[in-house]
Amino acid sequence: MLRCTRILTVVLLIAGATFMSAQKPVGPGHEWWKRAVFYELYPRSFADSNNDGIGDLNGITSKMGYLRDLGVDAIWISPCFPSPQVDFGYDVSDYENIDPMYGTLKDFDAMAAEGKKQGVRIIFDFVVNHSSDKHPWFVESSASKTNPKRDWYIWRDGKADGGPPNNWISTFGGSAWKLDPRTGQFYYHYFYAEQPDLNWRNPEVQKAMYDATRFWYKRGVSGFRLDAVDTLFEVANLQDNPVLPGTNHFGDPETDEKYNKKLPEVHDVMRGLRKVADEHGAVLIGETWTDNIAELKEYYGEKNDEIQMPMNFLFTEVNKISAPEFRSQIAAAESTGQWPVWVISNHDIVRSYNRYGDGQHNDAIAKLLAGLYLTLRGTPIMYYGEELGMENNTPTRKEDVQDPIGRRGWPEEKGRDGERTPMQWSDAPNAGFSTAKPWLPVPNSYKTHNVATESKDPESILNFYKRVLALRHKNEALIEGSYVALNEADANVLAYLRKYEGKAVLVVLNMSGAAQESNIDLAAQGLSNEKVRDLVNTASKAEKGKAPLKVSLEPFGVYMAETSQ
Ligand code: GLC
């Protein structure tokens, strides 16, 4: 009898599933992170609840409503774990706690609960390659050559002449080896000396790190952004890297980092982290700097068992508004057959407002970029303040610089302070971020480019973002639709369709400072001209009903419409 009931239940479940799938195809596009819009925020700079000049978790909690109204589904918070802050949190001294500067674990719980209420998931930033030199693991490891944690980091004898074990260079300047006089050995650090590299060849390290992700999954995070994954392994025999001509910003010789970067073992760790993530329905986002799209594709895993969302930084390397260049980057991403991840700014690169702005049409260009990366097939990751047209506030004097690489590399390398300034909430002093002097100054443009002012202006960048994000959330073609490039020979206008089940969204972007006209042959795509209905637009219009569809765009204008078969 019991068995019969079970069989009946199974039959009903299968029938139910078939019925549901007839209603809505359960395709790959239905995983939550494919529908979501992600938003990176730098916790020092987002919202300061206790007015000490530095942002905190309670501040983030207080802005959950803003994030929901904007159309954000998940926030990636740059590291907020206990840290001596040498690299502003990317030097972690405890992977399972919150830095008191940002709050407590209880504050985290409150933030996660509020996020749940508002439909905003939390993604944490996992610094996998290295810890802080103040992490108890490293403190123990450096205590003696026989300490049980000695092999948790990479220790080696120097050369006979007393020099470092090899010629590897730290990406933040100088040798990648530091001599520790206590044991007379060198330890390896790809980043600052205060960020010793963990030895991922040691199974105990792997277990400890996997467990740290479990800790946060159980506490409510929905995934991790994995920091600097390409630096996890080095060859065991520590061969010298080939020396190339020239020097870098810090005056070090250029080298080909073939023996300490992008080693194949990285993929084993990605699979390991993914296995744990899958136990919790979580997503992994990769800081995946690559030289080409084939390399990026590898991070998804041969069996799609590595990172679900490796970030496509090749896109950020298109540093000018150019229809052909963006078109070819999109085509490259599409050619992988994988789910793309679009990024235009982050805490390590100059803000898009400055990289693409021409000084005359900057706001129009900010909208144009939103019209692009929020409507492509794939998941976009915004950077806080992009929705306002926040600009970079690059320091002009060395003594003002906070980021150590800016002090070390001045004036060639000015550091990353400029892209990390406080969020601009209003036109009050310090952009309404804090009543105390913020840790970094806001640019003067905060007076016009801030949440309060822009909320009142229907034509603001903020309201444009909101409209595009709202559209993206309700229009199936923008989430599920295939990408079809149009008018591929056009040097000025980037046009494409997102096609889904007989319906389509048309996106036409004028990537030039001159007015343009674009003729779109919808019939050739099996779509109707008569059914064209305007969606979100700026500085553009279309003559409907006639074929081809004639779209007129002012400089950097955006035209979006929907149509169907
Ligand atoms: C990543 C982070 C960067 C940090 C570095 C070292 O590149 O994005 O901000 O300085 O890793 O952890």
Side-chain angles (χ1 to χ4, degrees):
M1 179 63 199
L2 190 68
R3 210 170 157 232
C4 284
T5 322
R6 272 206 196 128
I7 291 170
L8 188 64
T9 314
V10 170
V11 169
L12 286 175
L13 280 175
I14 294 171
T18 315
F19 172 70
M20 274 170 59
S21 64
Q23 294 266 304
K24 201 168 180 70
V26 183
H30 290 77
E31 283 147 293
W32 69 266
W33 48 268
K34 289 189 174 173
R35 297 193 150 255
V37 170
F38 288 67
Y39 183 97
E40 179 196 358
L41 62 87
Y42 204 64
R44 286 182 84 86
S45 292
F46 192 62
D48 179 11
S49 74
N50 60 355
N51 286 309
D52 62 356
I54 291 174
D56 44 57
L57 298 195
N58 288 338
I60 299 172
T61 307
S62 73
K63 300 296 183 187
M64 257 344 151
Y66 167 77
L67 294 163
R68 182 210 49 213
D69 292 347
L70 175 59
V72 166
D73 307 287
I75 47 174
W76 144 29
I77 305 177
S78 291
C80 52
F81 313 107
S83 161
Q85 305 291 327
V86 172
D87 193 16
F88 297 112
Y90 284 95
D91 46 325
V92 178
S93 55
D94 179 355
Y95 285 97
E96 298 180 3
N97 212 331
I98 298 293
D99 194 295
M101 186 178 79
Y102 292 127
T104 60
L105 280 171
K106 265 180 111 179
D107 295 335
F108 168 83
D109 293 339
M111 177 178 72
E114 183 63 15
K116 204 162 183 189
K117 212 165 100 195
Q118 305 277 6
V120 179
R121 293 174 186 256
I122 315 279
I123 305 293
F124 260 7
D125 199 325
F126 195 43
V127 188
V128 262
N129 174 65
H130 47 269
S131 72
S132 158
D133 62 342
K134 298 292 181 295
H135 195 296
W137 298 341
F138 187 76
V139 173
E140 281 190 49
S141 182
S142 51
S144 77
K145 283 188 183 171
T146 53
N147 187 283
K149 292 226 163 37
R150 186 66 170 179
D151 191 40
W152 280 45
Y153 294 85
I154 300 170
W155 293 96
R156 290 292 189 285
D157 290 329
K159 288 210 171 119
D161 66 359
N166 65 20
N167 74 345
W168 295 352
I169 299 290
S170 158
T171 195
F172 287 166
S175 166
W177 295 94
K178 181 165 178 188
L179 177 65
D180 186 351
R182 279 169 295 183
T183 55
Q185 283 195 314
F186 287 80
Y187 67 86
Y188 174 65
H189 58 91
Y190 184 76
F191 296 93
Y192 295 123
E194 295 84 350
Q195 294 168 300
D197 273 49
L198 284 156
N199 177 13
W200 272 91
R201 295 186 194 280
N202 182 335
E204 287 176 25
V205 169
Q206 295 189 12
K207 181 172 183 314
M209 294 298 270
Y210 293 164
D211 283 351
T213 69
R214 286 192 176 96
F215 173 89
W216 289 110
Y217 291 141
K218 285 190 199 132
R219 217 153 175 134
V221 314
S222 298
F224 284 96
R225 175 262 188 185
L226 304 175
D227 184 65
V229 292
D230 52 355
T231 60
L232 283 189
F233 285 89
E234 306 74 36
V235 290
N237 71 1
L238 306 186
Q239 246 170 294
D240 272 358
N241 279 326
V243 178
L244 303 173
T247 52
N248 65 17
H249 286 172
F250 307 104
D252 304 311
E254 289 287 2
T255 56
D256 172 4
E257 299 178 308
K258 63 190 286 192
Y259 296 124
N260 62 339
K261 258 183 113 175
K262 297 183 181 167
L263 265 58
E265 290 91 328
V266 167
H267 295 282
D268 301 333
V269 173
M270 295 304 106
R271 274 191 292 276
L273 286 165
R274 173 66 181 275
K275 220 166 141 233
V276 185
D278 281 348
E279 288 162 15
H280 299 271
V283 71
L284 299 177
I285 303 172
E287 192 201 8
T288 38
W289 289 97
T290 61
D291 293 334
N292 53 55
I293 207 77
E295 232 180 62
L296 184 68
K297 188 177 175 188
E298 286 175 18
Y299 280 111
Y300 291 91
E302 264 173 38
K303 297 187 185 139
N304 279 323
D305 52 358
E306 296 187 30
I307 306 175
Q308 296 104 314
M309 289 178 50
M311 288 187 267
N312 180 356
F313 288 115
L314 298 162
F315 203 61
T316 67
E317 285 165 16
V318 178
N319 273 324
K320 62 174 193 254
I321 297 291
S322 154
E325 286 197 36
F326 277 121
R327 190 181 289 127
S328 75
Q329 281 302 335
I330 298 162
E334 286 288 332
S335 74
T336 65
Q338 287 288 3
W339 186 259
V341 180
W342 306 109
V343 179
I344 57 167
S345 285
N346 72 22
H347 65 287
D348 293 326
I349 52 184
V350 169
R351 280 188 179 273
S352 66
Y353 197 79
N354 301 70
R355 296 207 324 279
Y356 299 100
D358 65 355
Q360 198 192 338
H361 304 95
N362 286 19
D363 287 9
I365 292 172
K367 291 177 195 167
L368 177 88
L369 287 166
L372 172 64
Y373 81 112
L374 302 178
T375 65
L376 290 172
R377 191 183 72 87
T379 301
I381 305 183
M382 298 168 57
Y383 184 49
Y384 79 99
E386 291 293 291
E387 73 274 26
L388 305 174
M390 257 173 77
E391 63 176 334
N392 232 71
N393 199 20
T394 311
T396 51
R397 304 182 318 169
K398 187 179 176 187
E399 55 269 37
D400 297 333
V401 176
Q402 302 266 354
D403 184 10
I405 61 169
R407 291 202 297 270
R408 187 179 280 186
W410 192 270
E412 239 182 280
E413 166 63 68
K414 294 192 168 68
R416 299 162 290 180
D417 294 353
E419 51 263 33
R420 299 173 174 182
T421 57
M423 175 71 173
Q424 295 164 193
W425 293 107
S426 73
D427 62 2
N430 306 322
F433 167 75
S434 182
T435 51
K437 186 174 178 232
W439 76 289
L440 286 174
V442 292
N444 278 336
S445 53
Y446 84 84
K447 287 183 188 128
T448 49
H449 290 68
N450 65 67
V451 174
T453 305
E454 290 193 43
S455 295
K456 288 184 241 145
D457 173 5
E459 299 308 318
S460 66
I461 301 172
L462 177 60
N463 277 318
F464 184 77
Y465 261 86
K466 281 192 184 171
R467 285 199 290 274
V468 178
L469 289 172
L471 178 65
R472 191 191 155 89
H473 280 98
K474 65 169 196 262
N475 190 306
E476 285 294 299
L478 281 182
I479 297 166
E480 309 290 351
S482 56
Y483 166 87
V484 181
L486 300 173
N487 298 359
E488 292 185 74
D490 194 321
N492 298 303
V493 179
L494 181 68
Y496 50 90
L497 290 171
R498 299 291 314 284
K499 272 177 132 177
Y500 183 65
E501 294 190 338
K503 293 192 181 151
V505 168
L506 167 69
V507 181
V508 188
L509 305 165
N510 180 2
M511 299 217 154
S512 82
Q516 302 289 341
E517 209 170 78
S518 187
N519 293 311
I520 310 286
D521 186 355
L522 290 169
Q525 297 294 331
L527 294 166
S528 153
N529 256 44
E530 283 73 38
K531 295 185 190 159
V532 170
R533 200 176 66 83
D534 287 358
L535 294 169
V536 180
N537 300 312
T538 82
S540 63
K541 61 177 190 302
E543 268 178 46
K544 296 190 204 79
K546 280 190 255 157
L549 183 76
K550 189 172 285 183
V551 182
S552 314
L553 303 126
E554 286 170 33
F556 306 107
V558 174
Y559 180 75
M560 287 185 213
E562 63 184 353
T563 185
S564 56
Q565 283 171 349

